[in-house]
Amino acid sequence: MLFKVEMTIAIPDSLPAERVTEIKAQEKAYAQQLQRSGKWRHVWRVAGQFKNVSIFDVESHDELHELLTGLPLYPYMTLAIEPLCRHPSSIRDDDS
């Protein structure tokens, strides 16, 4: 199952800078692990914002929920999630 996930991050100013640096490092490692596994297929930064647009390829809604809530930045995120399906005009074999 493919999902488009928009993640908007708003870290409170009250969080110590050292903690923010630590969380961002954990987030990067976790995100790269998910990309290597094929679960997080694409990630794009939205220019000028602390936001990304990503494509996840998971077995179920529950798996998506588990992966997203496992993100170290999850407590500071607003998510917009949309299920995707293959377009009949697509020429790509790996987009289902």
Side-chain angles (χ1 to χ4, degrees), residues 8-12 15 19-20 23 71-78:
T8 304
I9 296 90
I11 299 173
L15 204 60
R19 180 67 182 131
V20 172
I23 292 170
L71 290 165
L73 284 170
Y74 177 77
Y76 313 107
M77 289 183 181
T78 300

